[in-house]
Amino acid sequence: MWVFKKKFHFSLFYFGNPEWSEASALDVIRHEYAHYMDYMFNGKSSHGASWKACCRKIGALPSRLYNPKVEEINLHMENKQKELDSQIESIKQGNMVIHPTYGIGIVNSISDDKRKLYINFNNEMRCLSTPWVTEHCQIIK
């Protein structure tokens, strides 16, 4: 016996736009997968309650329309993360750090994932979060 299952697909219209956020692109994928999931489990393919429940299970926004305000937030968060990543990448071993409490220190080493800095403050080694350091300390390169 042959069983034919419904396939899911989505438009590539937004994926070709470099101005569109990655978060929104991923939400479109989750949105369409929620339709597939709803159809497979419930035999439905609308934007109803069972589809919304599927959205919540897989992390999609249970909204049927593109929301420019959500996109604005996504773009803001992605730009903020890119800026933070750039700051983190620019920190090197030997950089001087001016900490609000510990004073002047030198970056002794950086964790492999670049999320922790080991900084020597007056012969006392401290392990600090790189994002915290970039936000609260002055870094002299």
Side-chain angles (χ1 to χ4, degrees):
M1 173 185 246
W2 290 92
V3 178
F4 294 98
K5 295 185 179 181
K6 185 174 182 178
K7 296 179 181 179
F8 75 100
H9 64 278
F10 47 90
S11 168
L12 297 178
F13 176 75
Y14 291 110
F15 296 97
N17 183 348
E19 301 289 319
W20 211 45
S21 71
E22 182 178 320
S24 291
L26 291 172
D27 191 59
V28 167
I29 293 168
R30 290 183 189 106
H31 172 111
E32 297 305 331
Y33 186 77
H35 279 298
Y36 178 73
M37 185 176 167
D38 190 27
Y39 179 79
M40 295 306 292
F41 291 141
N42 305 308
K44 300 177 182 178
S45 62
S46 67
H47 289 102
S50 61
W51 170 78
K52 289 178 182 179
C54 292
C55 284
R56 286 188 287 276
K57 285 180 182 177
I58 62 171
L61 294 174
S63 170
R64 66 181 295 235
L65 298 173
Y66 171 78
N67 186 329
K69 289 182 181 180
V70 170
E71 176 63 1
E72 185 179 330
I73 292 167
N74 287 340
L75 286 171
H76 174 74
M77 295 302 291
E78 286 181 14
N79 288 335
K80 193 172 181 180
Q81 186 61 49
K82 285 177 187 175
E83 182 181 321
L84 178 60
D85 290 346
S86 174
Q87 289 172 349
I88 288 170
E89 286 297 320
S90 70
I91 298 173
K92 305 290 182 220
Q93 187 175 353
N95 286 152
M96 187 184 306
V97 174
I98 302 174
H99 188 280
T101 303
Y102 304 133
I104 297 173
I106 303 294
V107 176
N108 187 51
S109 62
I110 303 168
S111 66
D112 290 339
D113 63 1
K114 299 187 178 188
R115 291 295 180 186
K116 294 179 185 171
L117 299 174
Y118 298 90
I119 304 173
N120 188 343
F121 293 100
N122 211 16
N123 292 324
E124 188 173 338
M125 194 64 66
R126 302 267 181 181
C127 177
L128 301 174
S129 159
T130 307
W132 190 92
V133 170
T134 61
E135 188 174 329
H136 296 96
C137 300
Q138 182 180 359
I139 301 166
I140 301 170
K141 297 172 176 133

